[in-house]
């Protein structure tokens, strides 16, 4: 099969488009023909500095396509089914073998391209807001990186739940577009101080729930922007900067909470997350929620796709098509 591979970590230029051995599915696996790859934030971070589990390495969490073969102990899937899959790597390729518990049937009415964008960002957004953030109607929510996959999902889910929704983005244009998805107030983090703006928008009270996918110094700001009994869920390090020291001294007297979140652990260790994602797929198929796709690149142009994402010009998901 063809795949976008690399032999060392680095910038997008490390990608090579090469022939590699076809994956072989095990007894509990599905082998799929990949038709759409959603590039996740973790994919770019792994390319930059993550472990190379194979050599050459095929990066990528999430891909959708058609089932070519089903392992002998797998139930609930058949050859020809459309599915979306997640895994620790291997999405940037023409074929993918994944354990059946990490695959979902694509509902009628939902395109393969749209489905490819759902499990990781939408599952993450839902859990950050509700399972870990305990967001309820009438509260405020601040979503960092609002124009990204998790951000666009979280804005819609928080608004549907009855929250007043804030989000950060790098341009006023992006923030204006996010209003169509439920954003109440946008914060341009390039031209302003998001902590001060969050305090201003809440009359000094602070925000009830913050979803922070940026990390580093932004995470410190998120903690500083919390309301009394506020909850901050940290879900990534997209900002690629680290804080030397995280000051949590004000959290205890204000009864605040800081939680870490990783969807993979929830899927691996507990049964709850799998049906949650299945229901999100159904809701999107029914038109209750909206996937936003910016553009698609051929798999052979994985380097250009990653470069575009890292330029911070994208609005929504960027796809690869084998």
């Amino acid at each position: 099969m063809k795949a976008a591979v690399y032999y060392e970590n680095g910038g997008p230029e490390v990608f090579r488009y090469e022939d590699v051995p076809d994956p072989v599915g095990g007894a509990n696996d599905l082998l799929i023909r990949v038709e759409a790859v959603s590039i996740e934030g973790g994919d770019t971070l792994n390319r930059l500095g993550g472990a190379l589990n194979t050599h050459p390495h095929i990066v990528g969490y999430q891909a959708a396509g058609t089932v070519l073969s089903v392992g002998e102990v797998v139930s609930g899937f058949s050859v020809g089914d459309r599915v979306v899959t997640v895994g620790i790597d291997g999405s940037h390729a023409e074929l993918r073998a994944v354990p059946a518990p990490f695959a979902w049937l694509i509902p009628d009415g939902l395109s393969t391209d749209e489905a490819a964008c759902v499990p990781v960002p939408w599952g993450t957004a839902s859990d950050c807001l509700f399972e870990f953030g305990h967001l309820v109607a009438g509260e405020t929510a601040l979503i960092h990186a609002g124009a990204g996959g998790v951000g666009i999902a979280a804005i819609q889910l928080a608004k549907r739940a009855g929250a007043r929704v804030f989000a950060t983005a790098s341009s006023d244009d992006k923030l204006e577009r996010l209003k169509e998805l439920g954003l109440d107030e946008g914060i341009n983090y390039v031209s302003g101080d998001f902590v001060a703006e969050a305090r201003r928008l809440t009359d000094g009270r602070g925000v009830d729930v913050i979803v922070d996918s940026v990390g580093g110094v932004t995470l410190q700001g998120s903690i500083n922007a919390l309301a009394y009994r506020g909850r901050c869920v940290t879900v990534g390090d997209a900002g690629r900067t680290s804080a030397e020291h995280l000051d949590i001294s004000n959290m205890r007297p204000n009864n605040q909470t800081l939680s870490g979140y990783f969807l993979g652990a929830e899927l691996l260790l507990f049964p709850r997350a799998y049906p949650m994602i299945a229901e999100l797929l159904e809701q999107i198929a029914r038109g209750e929620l909206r996937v936003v796709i910016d553009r698609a690149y051929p798999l052979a142009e994985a380097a250009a796709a990653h470069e575009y994402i890292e330029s911070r010009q994208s609005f929504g998901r960027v796809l690869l098509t084998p």
Side-chain angles (χ1 to χ4, degrees):
M1 68 174 181
K2 289 289 189 180
V5 306
Y6 50 84
Y7 293 81
E8 61 184 1
N9 296 118
E13 69 277 1
V14 300
F15 274 115
R16 304 289 181 267
Y17 187 60
E18 296 182 351
D19 290 308
V20 297
D22 291 354
V24 178
N28 194 42
D29 291 345
L30 303 176
L31 179 66
I32 73 162
R33 180 178 67 247
V34 175
E35 295 161 6
V37 179
S38 174
I39 304 173
E40 301 303 311
D43 297 348
T44 63
L45 291 172
N46 281 327
R47 187 213 69 236
L48 185 66
L52 277 64
N53 299 319
T54 56
H55 192 79
H57 187 60
I58 304 173
V59 76
Y61 290 141
Q62 189 163 257
T66 301
V67 176
L68 297 179
S69 66
V70 178
E72 54 263 35
V73 301
V74 174
S75 61
F77 296 94
S78 302
V79 172
D81 284 342
R82 293 189 309 133
V83 296
V84 57
T85 66
V86 299
I88 59 172
D89 51 33
S91 78
H92 287 37
E94 291 181 321
L95 301 173
R96 188 182 206 189
V98 294
F102 294 87
W104 293 260
L105 292 169
I106 299 175
D108 292 341
L110 186 62
S111 73
T112 301
D113 284 359
E114 290 172 317
C117 304
V118 175
V120 172
W122 285 84
T124 296
S126 180
D127 266 1
C128 286
L129 289 170
F130 307 117
E131 183 71 12
F132 288 76
H134 307 292
L135 181 70
V136 297
E139 291 189 317
T140 53
L142 170 61
I143 315 300
H144 284 297
V150 173
I152 284 174
I155 288 168
Q156 293 178 69
L157 291 170
K159 185 66 174 181
R160 186 175 69 169
R164 184 181 176 211
V165 185
F166 313 142
T168 63
S170 60
S171 72
D172 292 339
D173 176 65
K174 287 182 178 179
L175 292 169
E176 191 63 30
R177 293 177 67 185
L178 288 171
K179 290 181 180 178
E180 300 174 10
L181 300 172
L183 180 65
D184 292 303
E185 301 284 353
I187 302 172
N188 186 325
Y189 67 80
V190 174
S191 60
D193 179 344
F194 81 85
V195 178
E197 186 65 4
R199 290 283 177 187
R200 184 188 71 81
L201 290 169
T202 57
D203 297 323
R205 180 179 176 274
V207 181
D208 295 304
V209 176
I210 299 178
V211 178
D212 191 325
S213 60
V214 180
V217 294
T218 297
L219 180 58
Q220 181 65 70
S222 295
I223 292 171
N224 296 343
L226 285 174
Y228 177 75
R229 298 192 70 174
R231 292 84 71 194
C232 176
V233 184
T234 171
V235 70
D237 296 294
R240 303 185 182 185
T241 60
S242 58
E244 293 184 3
H245 174 70
L246 198 62
D247 182 3
I248 61 171
S249 59
N250 286 328
M251 294 189 71
R252 185 170 58 194
N254 286 295
N255 287 326
Q256 296 162 339
T257 303
L258 174 64
S259 301
Y261 180 76
F262 173 51
L263 176 65
E266 287 296 297
L267 287 169
L268 186 64
L269 299 174
F270 297 98
R272 178 198 57 83
Y274 185 92
M276 177 267 291
I277 291 171
E279 178 56 27
L280 286 167
L281 286 162
E282 293 284 355
Q283 291 170 2
I284 295 168
R286 293 194 297 265
E288 298 171 17
L289 299 163
R290 177 181 162 196
V291 167
V292 177
I293 297 173
D294 183 302
R295 61 184 64 184
Y297 290 79
L299 180 61
E301 298 178 17
H306 276 235
E307 184 176 8
Y308 176 64
I309 291 170
E310 292 178 343
S311 73
R312 301 193 178 184
Q313 299 178 66
S314 60
F315 184 89
R317 273 301 180 243
V318 176
L319 302 185
L320 294 173
T321 54

